[in-house]
Structures are given as structure tokens and as C-alpha cells.
Amino acid sequence: MERWQPSAEILALRSDHQASRPALGAERAIHYTQFWKRESTNLQPCLLNARALADHLARRTIRIHPGELIVGTHTEHRVGAICHIEKAGWAMLEDLRRFETRPINPIRVDPQAKRTLTRTVVPYWLNKNLAMRAFPLREKVRYVKDQLGAVDHVVNEVGGVAHFLPDYARLINTGTEGLRAKVEQRRAGPGLTDENRDYLDASLVCLDAIDDFGDRYRREAERMGRHDLVEVLQQVPRRPARNLHEALQLIWFFQLLIQIESLDQGVSLGRIDQYLHPFYSVESSSPDFDRGRVGDLFAAFCIKLSEIVPLFSSRVTTYFAGLPSGQAASIGGVDERGHDATNELTFLLLDVIDSFKTRQPNWHARVGAASDPEYVRRVVEVVASGGGSPAIYNDDVIPKAMAERGVDASKVWNYATVGCVEPALPGESFTSSDAAIFNLAFSLELVLGGGHALTSRSAARRPWLADISSTADLMRRIEEVTARRLSELKHSLDAVELSGATHFPTPLSSLTIGGCIENATDSTRGGAIHNASGIQAVGVADLADSVAAIDKLVFRDGTCTLAEMADACATNFRGDDLLLARARKTAKFGNDDPQVDRIAAQLVEMFDRCVSAHTNTRGGRWMPGFYSMTCHHGFGRKMAAMPSGRLAGRPLADGLAPVDGADHLGPTASLNSVTSLDHGRFGNGVNVNIKFDSATVGDDSGRMALEALIRGYFAQGGMQLQINVLDTDLLESAMRDPDSHRNLLVRVSGYCAYFVDLTPEMQQEMIDRTRQHA
Amino acid sequence: MTAPTAPVFDIQRFSIHDGPGIRSLVFLKGCGLNCPWCQNPESQSARPVIGFHRSRCMESFECESVCPNKAIVRGGQRVDHDLCSRCCKCVEVCPTEALQLIGETIGPRDLLDRLLVDRAYYDSSGGGVTFTGGEPTLHAAFLTRALELCAEAGIHTNIETAGKFAWPDLEPALRLADLIYFDLKILDPDAHHQVLGHDLGGILDNARRLADGGFPVEFRMPAVPGYTDTIPNIDAVAAFLHSIGRRELHLLAYHNMGEAKIEVISGDQPRLGLPCYPDDSIRDLRRGFENRGIATI
Ligand code: SF4
């Protein structure tokens, strides 16, 4: 079949989209504040949040842009960063004075809005935002201090939860009407508490608000004479979609509304080539089927998804650079009987990924032994063309890992991914898969510093080190410290979860998650069928390398004592070049070295043990994951030097990958170290990012090698792989001249970003790492 | 009988240009020819040697205190190779890998273990192991045993040779290999003798025997400016290929990265000072062969 290519119209639409610079979506913050001031004392929490949302949606500025095929924006701007003022949006406004002038990810702010935010909105929420309501006064101070420039962990749930797979497979066939019938039936049923009733009433308010919002766009389309759109908007979101266009419009409405209500992170699309295939198959059998136009529709959908830009302050950007929003879309995989499920739509979507590169969605391809070889070949071809998409997921490992973590084994074949990398069952899971990111490497610094950062004065004399006389002792200490830190994290996270559930439930989002209506309970309060929380470890490789270095230099060779090593780390090896050189010469994770790999495996097991001991407030388990967003930069910046020879302030390793530059035997050795770890444990997913220079893998033998690399890695139990094929010359010119390279996409830890949106440190990391593998 | 051993100076993994699939290249040390353009000068002598990377040296001179043979010299190339017994004590204490053993002597079983780590990738790509050098055929007994072990393990094998070997010694190995890459260089007997210091005759006999005997052999030629790409040499190579019924040739573009390695081993190979083989000259060369009825790869 001929490859799809974007039409001139859709390319023009993308240019218009890219020409719109992100602007602060202040209306939500302003409307919510006005509503809260008026009504917060009169309404139950679910109803309060639903009514505030409805009020905002009724008043929000709306616009349909020329040439749009799918309509609706999540803010009053075309490309917007929404401010969830009652949650983390409040803290992000620390950048209010410099959003426009900051060098990385500038955001336009309307002067009038800026004034209102400063004078009335920010002061109002000072003590009412989610984080501030979570803690008693004394803890509040500690919490704020910890999270400003975090080194220990980042609690993501202060922003809300999101991170789930709305039940789009069902929604496209019910519309809001179907949901309304279900809610009303439940509302009429027996055994409801006041809280249940509050939730169900709120659900009905949300359904009306969705319909009204759709009607506003329909009227706007009528006014503009866009009859094609009017026809679509007469049907959805109320009624079931009748074709692909209506289905995509309906999904987009929910997608944007969920992100207005809850949080613009990790709201994921699920197996889009599967649940939309019935529509595709009907349309493609019609004589006037226009495949080009269907491709254009999906391209228009990708543009919509890319309109969502997170509102991050500069401080937070270090941890989450590249404007991630984590709207994952899965393709490929198997059906209920375990047979390959790829279809014509899968291939069309691969054409879209190949020829129409956009920042979102976060494309994920499921690949396994059952996959159609032609599909795998095409996936590799698309990956090799650059842009970092799709990331590839192992169908022969992930379902098993999920079943081991208590997910219904009869359903795991149907998994999709959430956010960056996290597997979950579509439509029924509320996994909070990005609940927190935890700096595992920091445990060693705390062991060496006796509970303090190594650079703090309290850690200057270190009598406690005398008790550590073997690597086994050291590992025990690391586990004690890790367990203690995770208990502290649990304390904070519980407080944040409860604060969210109490004050800011999300009834609209909950409508799309199986179990909430049946249980008459909001998703933030445990209404979903399947609950969990994902806790990510960062710095596994650095920690393994450091333990290996101590094992060799302190306990085996006696080159230095542990106290001397701690001193060297505290002073950033100043004046001890020889020890630094020796530290660097010790074996590193990523080179097939059985000893270091074993240490890494022990650390991963240890982290799993410590994490899995906990449950969340929604009745779900904690699940370990290994991905870092760009927290490996954020955390690394605040850390002292490490015994591995990593200097102070340097980034930690990305995700589960070896330390940059430490793996000098090539990609197979690097991946062998990664697969020496038991991926069955990684219930919340991993990210393994490898980079190639386009000169190395651009030809046929290069593509063959990439495919074989993926297959070999998967055969050994690897869970996920994302491959960046980069042209270093191009990256360098993009650093010099960002304006001419706005379209250059690269894959960061778990998501794609425009290269020019990254921090200079991240940009340099990309270039160096690609060179190293050339 | 003791197991045969050989000096291995590198195992390069994830190689995708030396035979089918993803391969590990086993570099054996020692070569009977003396190509002035040699890209692995450290491979020429079969003797293991302590290499010295000056730019990495921190001048801590711990090597000096551990060396039992007083072979460490502060000036010059650091190691006096005549005094050195290659005990590797200095390599161990060197904090930075400035000192390195080039040519670790290992047995075939040990080698196989090191190769098997990439088994999954050989299998997924239809790849395997390529024995190269130096001249791998210099280590006939070792090579035969290593190829046997690979065959038992089901790993595809390839030998890269310049063809200077005694047929009876090598025949068992050649029969085991799944693929043989045979390099043709300078085919004028006088010029061959003059530049490479050896007779050409035996090499061409071996090439012919392989081709006639139905061995899985493919022919290659390094494109070295002024040495192998002259019109008379193109004529001679093409004519030879025709004479053994072959119509295909792999061309390998010369690169000058090997010259930086000469200093590391205190080698005395003269530097050619040639640039890497330019892309458009390669195109001309391809055309030259194609005009003579030889397809190039
Ligand atoms: S290898 Fe042994 S003998 Fe040779 S220089 Fe080093 S320490 Fe001296």
C-alpha cells in the first residue's frame, strides 16, 4: 500500500500550530477562584469541584482555528499551559514574573491576567492549595523545603493524579448519553451514603457540562459556516460516534476536559489502533474511501494533543525538561487469543508517526514473538528515520510482569501504556503510575554522611563508618536508609493523596474509569477497579558502580578506607586525582561485568522489597518503576561526588541505563547488563534509552542491526527500549540556531520533546552520548 | 597435549560490517605481511606488548615501583619492551589504563565463553563471530579449535585472511568456517614483493584453491590510494577474479585511524600520511571494476 503523506492543508495547520507560542491559561485559575470564593462553603466536595468546572467551561473563551478538523482547546489559547491553581499550579506561579523572559520554555502571559493572578488568585490559594492543606504547620515547612530543589524525591501527586487510560474503547460507543444512563441508574439504586450521592450528583453536573461545552463549539462552527464540523458536533460528545472523525473528536473532548479538571500529565489514549479499527474497517470498505484524508484526521489529532504544554516553573523544569505531557498511545500487540493484532490502521498510524512528527502523543509500539514481521520491520524503519518514536514494548514480558503484580491475568494481553512507560489495563485502572520519583542513589550519600548530605557540616566527622566493614554491611545500611526514606515518602504521599481526595476529587475523570460509577466513588477515593501507585527509582547504575568501587578499593584492595572515600566524595575528589582515577577505573554497570551487574540486581531487588511493602490510600499497591524523566539531572545537581568517580553536581544515569560513557563495549554489552536485572519486578515499567548516530544505522544493514538489537534484547527479557537516531551535526546547529530547528524531535527519558525546548545541559548530554556511540 | 592459545588483542562487539548480522570481531595478533597502510599496526607482531597511551598518563609512576624487571622508563615510550616480561603488574596498578596489555593470550574455550555473551544478538540477526587480525591463519591450531567450538555452539563463523598460509595446516579450519573473506591487495608479483615484502605466488594459489574447491569464499580489496587503486592493479585484480570464475569484489575504503595507534606500541611503521579514501574516488573505483565485468559491494 502506498505510504500516507500529509496533505498541504494539514502541513499548513501544523505550521500555524507551531507558530503559536505557548501562553499561560489563566482563565481556569481566575474562574475557579471566583467560584470558590462564592460557593466553597456551601457545597459538598465532589459537587463543588464539578460545579466549578462547569462554571469555568461555560465561561471559557473558545475559538475554532482555520483549517482545523478537530476542535477544542484546553485553555483559552491555541497552545496553552493551564494553571491548576488549587493544585501544583499555585507553586508554578513562582515564575509569574519571568515566564515570558526566562530562556527555557518561555510562556506568554496576558498582562491583565498577570495582575489578577498576583493580586487576588495567588493570595487566595496560599493556604488552600492541595499541598498546603495536606500537612500540619511544622511539616508544611519541611515539605516545602524538601520539594524546592529536591534531592531526595519528588512527590508528583501534589499536582493531582491523572496518569490513567480513560475507557475510550467504550466511550466512543456510548457518548455522554450512555454514561448518564449509567449514573442515573446507580443514583436510583439502594445503599448510597451521602458521600456516594455527592459523587453521583457531581457526575451528572459534569456530563451536562461536557455536553454544553460541545454545544458551544457547535454553535461556533455554525457561526463560521463550518458545516463539516457542525455535523460532527451534532453527534458527539452526546451520542456514540458513527465514524472515525466523530470518534477522534469525542476522544479529544474527553482528553482535554480530563486535563482541565485533573492534571495535564499522563492522560493516555490506550490501544488506539485497536478500538478505532472497526470504524476504519467500515470506512475503508466504502468505494469513496480516502486514506489520505483519514491520515490527515489522525495528523490533526496529533496536533491537538501537542497543544497541551505543562506549566512548569524553571525550578521544576530541571526535573521535567522538554515539556512532557505523557499522553501515551499504544499500537500493535496481540488479541485475546494471543494472536498478532496489527491491522491496516496500525500501518497508517506508523506512516503518520514517520511523516508527521509531533511532540505528542507519546507513541508506543507493542512488539513480541507473535508480531507480524512486516510490522516490526516498519516500526524499526520509523525509529531509524529519527524523532525517537515509537518507543518499543515487550509483549512477551510485560503481561507476565503485570500478572505477577496482581493484575487480572485473563486481561493482561490488553495492556496499554500510561504516561512515559507504565503498563496498565485500559479503562479500569487508576494506577497513579507517576506518584513519586525517588533518588535511590542518594541513599549511599546518606549512609556515608550518617543521615546528612555529605557536604553538610554535621557529616564532617564520620564515626559511624567504622561499623561498616564489608560490602554486605554497606548493602544492609543502604537498605535501612532506603526503607526509612520510603516510609517518609509514604507519609508525605498519603497526606497528599488524602488532601486531594478530600478537597479536590475529579468526578469528570472518574466517569471514564471502570468501577467509579459502580462503586459510586470518585477515582481519587479508590473507586476504580484497579488501583496502584508507581514509585520510580533514579540512579540505580550510579549506586551499583559506587558500591562496586567501594567493594574493590576499600574492602578488597585496601587502596583507601571508607572514611577516606567519604572525605573524597565530600570534597569532590579535590586534591585526590589519583583516587578519582582509580575510582573511575573500577568496573562499571553496562559492560557485562558479572560482579557489578550482580550488585545492581541486588539493589533493584532491594528497592522492590522496600517499595512493595507499602500500599496507597486507595487500596492499591506500590509498584516499583525505573525511569527518571529528567530528574537524573535535577537530583544530580544537588548531590556530592560519588565513589564511582561521578563528580558533584553531575547528572545521574538516565532510567535503567548505564551511566553515560561508562558502557564502553557497545550496545549489546550495555543491554546485557540491563537484562541481567529481573524485569519481572518492574511492575511500573522502565525506560532504557539508547542513542545512535544516524550515520551508523541509517542504511539497510543499520536497520537490520537495530531490529536484531531489539529482538535480542527482548529475547533476554528486556521490557522496554527507546531508540534515538540522531544526527549530531544537526543537533549542534540546533543549539546554535534554535529558531531554524523548531521541528527537531528527540526522545528524552520516556517521552519526545523538541530539542530546542530542552535545557542546555540536556542538549549537551544528547550530543555527547550520541557521539560516544558513533 | 596442551590446548592451543593465541594472543587476542581485542574483541569488538556489535560489528555490523564484517559479515552478516551482528558480529563479534576477534582480533588475533600477528601478521605475515607488512602492509604499509596497516590499519591495526598493533596486530603486526604476534608478541603481546604493553601499550602506552601517553595522553592518559598521570605520571604517578607506581608502575615503576612494581615492575620486577626495571622495564619502566620515565622518558620516551615508558616501557622498554626488551626488558619487559609482560607480567602486567604495571597494568594493574596503573590508575588510568594508560598502560595496557595488547594481546592477551587465551585458549579457545575461554574465548568462546567471552563470545557467548552476545549469543542472543547473533541469533536475532543471523550474525556470529569473525576472526580477523592481524592474520588469524597464523594461529592455525587455535583457529581450528575455536571454529570447532563455535560450530558446536551453532555460531556462524567468518575468517578474514590475506591468504598467506600453508594450505595443509589451514585446511581443517577453512572447512569449518561458514564464510571466508579473502583480501586481494597488489597483484603484480614484483610490486607485491617490493611493497609487502613477500611473494605473491602462494597467496594466489590459495585463493584459487578456495574458489575451485567450493569454499564459501568472498574476495575483498582494500582501496588504498596509490597502492591498490592503480589502473594496472585494477586490471590485474579483475583478470584474476575472472580467471577463477568470480565476478564480485568487496571494496574496503582506506581510513587513517590506525596511524594514531603506532605510537602506543612504540612501533616503527612509517606513517603514510594519506587521507581517508574519498567517497567520489570510491565511486570511480567501482566504475573501473564494473567496466571490467566485476560487480563491487
Ligand atoms: S608488564 Fe611487568 S615487566 Fe613489563 S613493564 Fe609492566 S611491570 Fe614491568
Side-chain angles (χ1 to χ4, degrees):
Chain A
M1 194 176 300
E2 209 181 304
R3 295 265 164 86
W4 172 83
Q5 286 294 334
S7 70
E9 292 79 29
I10 208 74
L11 286 174
L13 187 65
R14 186 175 64 178
S15 305
D16 288 351
H17 157 77
Q18 281 168 343
S20 326
R21 294 299 156 89
L24 175 69
E27 285 188 8
R28 183 189 185 281
I30 295 167
H31 295 160
Y32 266 56
T33 308
Q34 291 164 346
F35 193 84
W36 235 264
K37 280 185 176 168
R38 214 165 56 232
E39 302 285 353
S40 61
T41 49
N42 310 328
L43 297 170
Q44 291 296 304
C46 288
L47 204 52
L48 172 63
N49 281 274
R51 294 268 305 275
L53 178 65
D55 174 72
H56 167 59
L57 294 178
R59 297 162 66 196
R60 233 281 312 282
T61 308
I62 65 164
R63 208 169 286 136
I64 294 176
H65 300 282
E68 282 196 312
L69 302 178
I70 293 171
V71 302
T73 53
H74 80 303
T75 66
E76 61 274 30
H77 304 287
R78 184 163 193 173
V79 175
I82 198 165
C83 179
H84 295 104
I85 189 70
E86 77 283 17
K87 298 175 203 143
W90 182 82
M92 301 305 174
L93 293 185
E94 65 170 327
D95 270 20
L96 193 51
R97 285 167 188 283
R98 53 177 164 164
F99 272 128
E100 281 158 301
T101 52
R102 63 186 189 179
I104 319 250
N105 310 147
I107 292 178
R108 291 184 294 122
V109 187
D110 171 65
Q112 170 81 40
K114 192 191 278 183
R115 237 169 294 135
T116 314
L117 290 174
T118 315
R119 290 201 192 137
T120 56
V121 174
V122 172
Y124 178 76
W125 291 99
L126 170 64
N127 279 312
K128 293 189 179 62
N129 70 69
L130 190 154
M132 288 302 106
R133 284 181 162 186
F135 301 101
L137 184 63
R138 223 167 29 111
E139 284 183 33
K140 234 180 254 198
V141 177
R142 182 187 56 81
Y143 174 83
V144 171
K145 207 174 121 258
D146 281 356
Q147 292 294 292
L148 295 177
V151 62
D152 194 286
H153 60 262
V154 181
V155 176
N156 291 330
E157 270 197 32
V158 289
V161 183
H163 287 94
F164 68 99
L165 296 152
D167 198 356
Y168 289 139
R170 198 157 305 147
L171 272 177
I172 49 177
N173 294 314
T174 65
T176 54
E177 278 179 352
L179 287 175
R180 190 175 285 105
K182 213 165 133 190
V183 175
E184 277 167 353
Q185 193 190 7
R186 188 71 188 88
R187 183 74 178 75
L192 295 180
T193 63
D194 283 352
E195 204 181 304
N196 295 147
R197 268 188 291 273
D198 173 40
Y199 164 75
L200 292 170
D201 290 346
S203 305
L204 292 171
V205 170
C206 291
L207 287 165
D208 290 343
I210 297 169
D211 290 349
D212 292 345
F213 193 61
D215 285 341
R216 292 187 66 202
Y217 275 98
R218 179 179 46 75
R219 286 195 295 275
E220 178 68 5
E222 278 163 2
R223 195 185 63 76
M224 295 171 70
R226 288 289 306 271
H227 303 296
D228 55 331
L229 298 178
V230 173
E231 200 180 312
V232 170
L233 295 166
Q234 272 165 346
Q235 185 71 13
V236 296
R238 272 198 182 76
R239 284 174 281 277
R242 295 166 302 187
N243 52 43
L244 278 173
H245 194 169
E246 291 175 0
L248 287 172
Q249 178 64 61
L250 184 138
I251 293 170
W252 173 241
F253 268 138
F254 272 92
Q255 191 70 11
L256 77 89
L257 289 166
I258 289 168
Q259 301 189 70
I260 291 176
E261 180 197 47
S262 164
L263 166 70
D264 46 349
Q265 289 295 322
V267 179
S268 297
L269 297 155
R271 305 183 68 190
I272 192 164
D273 63 333
Q274 301 301 308
Y275 61 74
L276 290 182
H277 184 249
F279 292 110
Y280 180 90
S281 138
V282 170
E283 287 177 38
S284 63
S285 54
S286 130
D288 52 357
F289 175 62
D290 181 351
R291 190 164 177 274
R293 177 168 161 84
V294 172
D296 278 3
L297 272 177
F298 280 98
F301 185 64
C302 295
I303 293 176
K304 280 288 161 193
L305 296 166
S306 305
E307 286 176 352
I308 293 183
V309 167
L311 182 70
F312 288 158
S313 65
S314 306
R315 201 197 302 269
V316 172
T317 299
T318 312
Y319 297 81
F320 306 96
L323 305 174
S325 58
Q327 303 168 92
S330 306
I331 57 170
V334 295
D335 62 16
E336 200 162 358
R337 292 162 307 155
H339 298 165
D340 175 57
T342 53
N343 54 49
E344 271 184 38
L345 181 56
T346 318
F347 283 87
L348 176 63
L349 291 176
L350 282 165
D351 287 354
V352 173
I353 304 170
D354 193 7
S355 308
F356 197 76
K357 299 190 193 299
T358 50
R359 188 171 53 81
Q360 287 284 307
N362 201 0
W363 288 109
H364 293 166
R366 288 178 47 173
V367 167
S371 296
D372 173 4
E374 186 54 29
Y375 158 74
V376 182
R377 202 190 51 74
R378 180 73 180 124
V379 166
V380 171
E381 195 175 66
V382 175
V383 167
S385 77
S389 279
I392 303 165
Y393 288 76
N394 191 350
D395 262 13
D396 302 319
V397 166
I398 292 172
K400 278 191 214 127
M402 291 173 73
E404 267 168 41
R405 294 282 153 167
V407 181
D408 186 344
S410 69
K411 292 181 178 169
V412 290
W413 61 272
N414 195 33
Y415 83 91
T417 39
V418 175
C420 288
V421 300
E422 313 94 85
L425 288 188
E428 59 182 66
S429 315
F430 194 60
T431 48
S432 186
S433 55
D434 195 35
I437 300 191
F438 180 83
N439 181 357
L440 185 59
F442 194 51
S443 284
L444 178 60
E445 184 165 338
L446 291 176
V447 168
L448 297 179
H452 302 278
L454 266 175
T455 43
S456 92
R457 205 143 15 108
S458 341
R461 288 172 54 247
R462 306 184 179 90
W464 51 84
L465 293 181
D467 299 340
I468 302 176
S469 55
S470 68
T471 306
D473 279 351
L474 179 67
M475 291 290 273
R476 248 189 315 275
R477 287 298 172 85
I478 292 174
E479 175 152 6
E480 281 163 20
V481 170
T482 304
R484 180 177 50 68
R485 293 173 58 213
L486 283 167
S487 298
E488 286 164 13
L489 170 62
K490 156 103 178 123
H491 178 78
S492 301
L493 202 48
D494 280 1
V496 165
E497 282 173 18
L498 290 174
S499 174
T502 309
H503 305 292
F504 308 109
T506 53
L508 185 145
S509 306
S510 302
L511 283 166
T512 68
I513 305 172
C516 293
I517 300 176
E518 293 81 349
N519 296 322
T521 302
D522 192 81
S523 55
T524 59
R525 299 170 178 183
I529 295 172
H530 184 75
N531 286 285
S533 287
I535 312 294
Q536 284 41 265
V538 175
V540 184
D542 300 272
L543 185 54
D545 290 353
S546 293
V547 171
I550 292 174
D551 179 60
K552 171 143 177 69
L553 298 176
V554 176
F555 298 124
R556 281 195 286 139
D557 294 359
T559 307
C560 64
T561 65
L562 192 55
E564 284 162 351
M565 180 57 92
D567 273 342
C569 292
T571 58
N572 202 18
F573 290 96
R574 210 164 298 128
D576 209 344
D577 291 347
L578 208 56
L579 186 58
L580 177 61
R582 290 198 193 291
R584 289 191 168 149
K585 194 185 171 189
T586 56
K588 303 283 185 252
F589 182 72
N591 297 295
D592 254 336
D593 183 290
Q595 217 181 338
V596 195
D597 291 358
R598 200 168 323 116
I599 291 172
Q602 286 168 4
L603 290 168
V604 159
E605 257 170 64
M606 176 273 282
F607 182 68
D608 180 11
R609 248 192 326 271
C610 295
V611 164
S612 302
H614 297 292
T615 51
N616 65 19
T617 60
R618 296 179 287 271
R621 300 161 67 167
W622 275 22
M623 303 239 262
F626 293 86
Y627 64 83
S628 52
M629 313 282 287
T630 60
C631 288
H632 57 294
H633 275 254
F635 290 149
R637 235 182 224 203
K638 308 269 170 185
M639 285 175 69
M642 293 180 74
S644 59
R646 173 199 151 278
L647 291 179
R650 298 291 302 153
L652 297 167
D654 173 3
L656 201 58
V659 170
D660 268 0
D663 49 337
H664 53 260
L665 297 178
T668 57
S670 181
L671 292 179
N672 279 349
S673 283
V674 172
T675 50
S676 75
L677 311 175
D678 174 8
H679 287 218
R681 294 179 178 277
F682 308 150
N684 202 48
V686 303
N687 102 259
V688 178
N689 201 342
I690 58 172
K691 301 184 183 73
F692 288 97
D693 200 307
S694 49
T696 320
V697 295
D699 58 2
D700 279 346
S701 58
R703 277 189 290 273
M704 171 287 296
L706 278 188
E707 181 176 339
L709 198 66
I710 296 162
R711 288 200 184 272
Y713 170 70
F714 279 7
Q716 299 193 87
M719 196 176 220
Q720 186 263 13
L721 193 62
Q722 47 195 48
I723 300 172
N724 247 322
V725 176
L726 299 167
D727 175 342
T728 41
D729 293 340
L730 195 65
L731 296 185
E732 279 181 342
S733 26
M735 264 187 107
R736 281 194 304 271
D737 175 15
D739 277 333
S740 327
H741 296 87
R742 297 239 153 250
N743 286 343
L744 182 60
L745 273 174
V746 294
R747 186 162 274 272
V748 190
S749 179
Y751 51 92
C752 285
Y754 288 116
F755 184 72
V756 298
D757 283 339
L758 295 174
T759 56
E761 294 81 19
M762 278 299 298
Q763 293 182 333
Q764 198 58 49
E765 176 187 312
M766 287 256 152
I767 293 174
D768 293 347
R769 182 103 171 125
T770 309
R771 281 265 157 69
Q772 177 214 335
H773 282 164
Chain B
M1 193 187 81
T2 53
T5 57
V8 171
F9 74 89
D10 197 9
I11 297 175
Q12 194 181 311
R13 298 163 63 177
F14 193 69
S15 167
I16 55 177
H17 296 293
D18 290 82
I22 294 175
R23 310 190 71 82
S24 295
L25 308 187
V26 179
F27 289 88
L28 297 177
K29 211 161 147 26
C31 181
L33 295 178
N34 219 339
C35 307
W37 58 78
C38 181
Q39 300 180 356
N40 293 313
E42 72 274 40
S43 73
Q44 289 182 330
S45 152
R47 197 177 68 157
V49 64
I50 302 296
F52 175 59
H53 299 265
R54 180 175 299 284
S55 60
R56 297 181 195 160
C57 181
M58 299 175 73
E59 308 201 332
S60 68
F61 292 112
E62 278 166 85
C63 46
E64 201 172 36
S65 44
V66 297
C67 177
N69 298 320
K70 296 208 165 13
I72 296 291
V73 281
R74 291 211 172 202
Q77 278 306 307
R78 196 64 85 237
V79 179
D80 182 330
H81 299 294
D82 295 331
L83 294 177
C84 172
S85 64
R86 287 162 295 283
C87 69
C88 290
K89 291 208 165 71
C90 58
V91 175
E92 275 159 43
V93 298
C94 178
T96 63
E97 297 180 331
L99 291 167
Q100 250 182 345
L101 173 67
I102 299 177
E104 185 188 358
T105 302
I106 59 174
R109 176 72 59 186
D110 197 5
L111 175 67
L112 182 76
D113 287 342
R114 298 193 202 185
L115 296 172
L116 280 174
V117 291
D118 275 349
R119 176 60 183 258
Y121 298 98
Y122 308 147
D123 290 351
S124 69
S125 65
V129 174
T130 296
F131 291 87
T132 182
E135 175 54 55
T137 60
L138 275 189
H139 309 278
F142 172 88
L143 185 62
T144 309
R145 185 69 192 126
L147 288 166
E148 268 169 15
L149 291 174
C150 286
E152 281 165 24
I155 297 176
H156 180 277
T157 50
N158 180 11
I159 302 177
E160 293 183 347
T161 175
K164 186 177 174 304
F165 52 77
W167 182 269
D169 294 349
L170 256 293
E171 188 170 344
L174 296 169
R175 294 209 176 277
L176 283 162
D178 296 303
L179 183 62
I180 300 162
Y181 276 167
F182 196 110
D183 286 358
L184 300 172
K185 292 168 180 173
I186 298 176
L187 293 204
D188 173 69
D190 291 340
H192 189 273
H193 194 97
Q194 198 191 332
V195 177
L196 307 178
H198 294 275
D199 275 346
L200 173 65
I203 293 177
L204 292 188
D205 290 346
N206 285 337
R208 190 165 285 119
R209 282 181 96 151
L210 285 169
D212 292 349
F215 287 82
V217 63
E218 295 180 17
F219 292 93
R220 310 194 301 177
M221 186 189 90
V224 189
Y227 288 93
T228 63
D229 66 348
T230 62
I231 299 290
N233 202 48
I234 298 175
D235 283 336
V237 169
F240 177 73
L241 287 172
H242 282 292
S243 78
I244 57 171
R246 291 305 182 104
R247 302 281 180 275
E248 260 181 14
L249 182 68
H250 296 256
L251 285 180
L252 304 169
Y254 171 78
H255 66 76
N256 54 19
M257 270 129 43
E259 300 214 335
K261 301 192 225 165
I262 297 174
E263 193 194 345
V264 172
I265 52 158
S266 336
D268 47 13
Q269 177 186 344
R271 291 171 184 51
L272 291 180
L274 290 176
C276 292
Y277 210 88
D279 284 349
D280 39 344
S281 309
I282 276 284
R283 270 193 296 277
D284 292 345
L285 194 55
R286 284 189 195 289
R287 208 164 312 119
F289 276 107
E290 273 146 29
N291 291 339
R292 290 163 178 81
I294 300 294
T296 57
I297 299 169

